[in-house]
Amino acid sequence: MIILLFFSLGIFQIQSEFTPVSGFSDLDDFTTPTGFGLLLVLGDDTTANQSMAEQILISIDSLPEYASVDLWCIAPDASGYVEVADLSGYYNGYPSIVILVGHCGFLELDPQYLTSEIIDSWFTWGDPDSRITGICNFCRRCNP
């Protein structure tokens, strides 16, 4: 019971900055054609989850002030977690970070280079003034 409470508190702290989703259906509802967001795919380790959330928040501070970044998270108990998690966790397991560009554009970022990956992703696909098309060629959701 204490472990469950600790896990819930860790998730609650993350959810204050990140909008919780239950799977691709929620992401499809929340994303926009020109949107840019980050999805935190949580794992069972609340300390690692919290640390990764903090790293994401620190990393997006490196983006220009005009950058608009949506933040989502999905917990292991979410109904669509398995479907989402199957397309991430490649680098170090979970937690993992995925960028979402538009309604699709599902691409996992390497947490070892998180800040530079977020900056590069923003200027490649997120920034409306420099958006380069073609994320579909890299999208893990379309091309697992």
Side-chain angles (χ1 to χ4, degrees):
M1 181 69 167
I2 293 173
I3 293 172
L4 182 59
L5 178 60
F6 181 71
F7 182 74
S8 296
L9 288 175
I11 298 294
F12 178 74
Q13 290 172 342
I14 292 170
Q15 289 177 350
S16 65
E17 298 287 335
F18 293 75
T19 302
V21 295
S22 63
F24 282 123
S25 59
D26 282 351
L27 289 169
D28 289 342
D29 290 342
F30 292 142
T31 57
T32 62
T34 59
F36 179 85
L38 298 168
L39 171 66
L40 174 57
V41 183
L42 301 170
D44 293 325
D45 183 342
T46 56
T47 303
N49 292 338
Q50 189 64 38
S51 176
M52 189 65 73
E54 290 171 7
Q55 288 178 28
I56 291 169
L57 295 173
I58 290 167
S59 294
I60 62 174
D61 279 344
S62 299
L63 295 176
E65 280 188 36
Y66 65 87
S68 176
V69 181
D70 297 311
L71 298 173
W72 299 289
C73 68
I74 186 165
D77 63 348
S79 60
Y81 181 83
V82 172
E83 182 183 23
V84 171
D86 280 348
L87 299 178
S88 62
Y90 174 77
Y91 292 102
N92 296 320
Y94 306 98
S96 66
I97 305 99
V98 176
I99 63 163
L100 294 160
V101 180
H103 285 296
C104 199
F106 186 91
L107 182 68
E108 185 174 4
L109 303 179
D110 186 342
Q112 185 175 354
Y113 306 104
L114 187 59
T115 300
S116 60
E117 292 249 296
I118 289 174
I119 292 169
D120 182 54
S121 297
W122 168 255
F123 284 109
T124 303
W125 294 296
D127 185 349
D129 293 333
S130 65
R131 182 169 289 135
I132 299 170
T133 60
I135 194 167
C136 287
N137 295 327
F138 305 98
C139 177
R140 293 275 301 149
R141 188 173 175 193
C142 300
N143 303 300

